Amino acid sequence: MARDLVRLYIRFGFGAEALQVLRVSALSGGDSMLLKSMAEIMEYGHSLGPGPLSDQFECDSFAALWAILGSAEIPAAAQPNAAAVLRAIDALPPQLRGLLGPMASDRLIAAHQPDLAARILRIVERGLEKPTADFEMADAGLSLAEGDIPAAERSLDNVVGSNTELSPKALIALIDTRLENHLPIDLETADLAGAYAHEYRKDALGAELKRVHILALAEAGAYDTAFAELAHFVRDHDAETNRMVRSHAMAALTRNADDVAFLKYALDVHDPDRLTLAPASGNAVANRLISLGFPHEAEPYLATAAGEAEGRTRQLLRARAALDQGKPRRAEDMLFGITGPEADLIRAEAQSATGNHDAASQLFAALDRPDDAVNQAWLASNWQALRQTEDPLWQRTAEMVDGPDGDAAPKPEGVMARDRALIEDSVTARETLTQLLNRLAVDNADVPLE
């Protein structure tokens, strides 16, 4: 009698009730372990311990499906028998198919087997009058696995709007999807996350809802509210969680805020935790501070070590910050071991700042920056280099200062001819100097140049 009641409850998806009957009746032997495992799957989403079918993934029977459902994670080496799984899904009563099909699909997607997951969902969909929240959530997961972000958003939007127990989870997934794919988030979505976070504040889901609430506010441009909420959030969470949320919020601020809003929080000395950012976020903040003329204030964001690509970017930013503070030798020291165009550009500017214009000219030339290379050759009085440019003005300047290249033209005979040549040279020199001063934009010239 008790066994029949347990089976009835399982048939309709009532896991908690089936487990209660099993506890009260103390059923044993026969299929009691299997029934317990099935009831746990209905209630918790998987078996709480090794089930009787936990290693039956490749079995050519319905056991292949229950092996998937009973495992919290499908082992990497497992190869579920697709034909057996699909037969089992198709044979389930409609209410169980709608419950267990999406569950199996989620498990397979997590195991990087989206093809079988998709086939399961198509079988489930055929038996539905309209998509359920469970189905839409699973379908969103499949769309994400396939890289179809718009389809995933549509499914998640439907679940959010369904006002079911899955709605807050769908909202978390929707906001995370938009964050990961750099898609806009409106204030209405952020406010909905805030409302759910308040409703679930005493539930484990509350922390996740508050996290996405803060990040959605930052993405929506509500920076004051976002950072006020962040100040409350950090009191109740561990350092790594706080670092992750703060890093995302600061990244959104750096990417989207106007200069005034950005500087308000990037330079907030009353919030020392602002410096405890993930390397990518710290680098982004420092880069914008440097570009705005705050190289000294950028340095604390670059103080800690970072690995691989972010470490290289951080080293370049440290060198740039030093150079912009008038410390070219320090900038060069910070580039030790770094190669590439970005590093060489800083080296070239540092060489120029220390007066080594010939070396700077060579570096700029190698970087295919001919204008900068010529300017440095000019500062170095490297007339030979100026002669070799394709610019007639620089060629004339070098000839005027250093004399003509190659064999000199014969001097004209006679006083009148020599005087006429001197006057022509004087006119040419004046025209050359006028053009040169105009090009170099001499700001303190007292007389307008003609």
Side-chain angles (χ1 to χ4, degrees), residues 298-361:
E299 287 186 325
Y301 287 98
L302 305 171
T304 57
E308 299 182 0
E310 296 302 341
R312 183 180 187 278
T313 300
R314 179 153 294 191
Q315 201 168 342
L316 289 167
L317 287 170
R318 286 171 179 164
R320 172 58 64 185
L323 184 62
D324 287 1
Q325 292 177 77
K327 302 172 183 177
R329 298 191 188 282
R330 183 182 173 194
E332 287 192 278
D333 289 343
M334 289 181 172
L335 292 174
F336 180 77
I338 297 290
T339 59
E342 307 98 322
D344 285 343
L345 177 59
I346 297 174
R347 287 190 178 98
E349 294 178 18
Q351 290 288 344
S352 176
T354 56
N356 195 352
H357 300 295
D358 263 328
S361 178

Side-chain angles (χ1 to χ4, degrees), residues 216-234:
L217 286 169
E219 288 291 337
Y223 305 115
D224 289 341
T225 307
F227 283 95
E229 292 290 343
L230 180 61
H232 295 294
F233 182 87
V234 298

Side-chain angles (χ1 to χ4, degrees), residues 131-164:
T132 63
D134 288 310
F135 176 84
E136 295 268 29
M137 282 292 284
D139 200 39
L142 179 61
S143 296
L144 289 174
E146 294 173 341
D148 190 346
I149 306 305
E153 284 198 292
R154 287 193 296 272
S155 295
L156 291 170
D157 267 326
N158 290 339
V159 181
V160 171
S162 69
N163 197 29
T164 64

Side-chain angles (χ1 to χ4, degrees), residues 177-392:
T177 297
R178 290 180 177 170
L179 289 171
E180 290 167 9
N181 292 279
H182 307 293
L183 298 171
I185 299 176
D186 56 42
L187 194 56
E188 182 180 1
T189 300
D191 288 342
L192 180 59
Y196 272 128
H198 180 75
E199 180 180 348
Y200 286 83
R201 63 190 181 279
K202 296 181 180 179
D203 190 278
L205 200 60
E208 278 293 279
L209 286 162
K210 179 52 69 176
R211 174 184 66 82
V212 296
H213 177 220
I214 293 169
L215 299 184
L217 286 169
E219 288 291 337
Y223 305 115
D224 289 341
T225 307
F227 283 95
E229 292 290 343
L230 180 61
H232 295 294
F233 182 87
V234 298
R235 298 172 190 168
D236 303 319
H237 297 86
D238 62 90
E240 185 55 33
T241 300
N242 293 338
R243 180 172 180 259
M244 183 268 292
V245 175
R246 187 181 297 277
S247 294
H248 277 84
M250 287 296 288
L253 175 81
T254 304
R255 188 171 57 251
N256 301 323
D258 60 46
D259 292 344
V260 173
F262 169 72
L263 292 172
K264 176 180 179 180
Y265 293 102
L267 302 179
D268 184 4
V269 296
H270 301 295
D271 180 20
D273 289 338
R274 78 190 191 285
L275 304 176
T276 59
L277 301 179
S281 296
N283 288 349
V285 174
N287 186 48
R288 185 165 179 185
L289 283 171
I290 291 169
S291 69
L292 290 173
F294 294 90
H296 176 71
E297 289 74 12
E299 287 186 325
Y301 287 98
L302 305 171
T304 57
E308 299 182 0
E310 296 302 341
R312 183 180 187 278
T313 300
R314 179 153 294 191
Q315 201 168 342
L316 289 167
L317 287 170
R318 286 171 179 164
R320 172 58 64 185
L323 184 62
D324 287 1
Q325 292 177 77
K327 302 172 183 177
R329 298 191 188 282
R330 183 182 173 194
E332 287 192 278
D333 289 343
M334 289 181 172
L335 292 174
F336 180 77
I338 297 290
T339 59
E342 307 98 322
D344 285 343
L345 177 59
I346 297 174
R347 287 190 178 98
E349 294 178 18
Q351 290 288 344
S352 176
T354 56
N356 195 352
H357 300 295
D358 263 328
S361 178
Q362 293 172 25
L363 284 167
F364 280 126
L367 290 167
D368 196 23
R369 297 172 67 115
D371 291 342
D372 291 323
V374 168
N375 286 337
Q376 292 301 311
W378 157 255
L379 292 171
S381 301
N382 188 339
W383 312 118
Q384 188 60 35
L386 293 177
R387 291 181 197 277
Q388 295 172 0
T389 68
E390 298 179 359
D391 189 326

Side-chain angles (χ1 to χ4, degrees), residues 41 56-57 59 61-70 81 84-86 88-89 92 100-101 104 120:
I41 289 168
Q56 301 296 306
F57 294 99
C59 183
S61 71
F62 291 3
L65 171 63
W66 290 101
I68 291 172
L69 295 170
N81 187 321
V85 170
L86 295 173
I89 287 288
L92 288 171
L100 300 180
I120 288 173

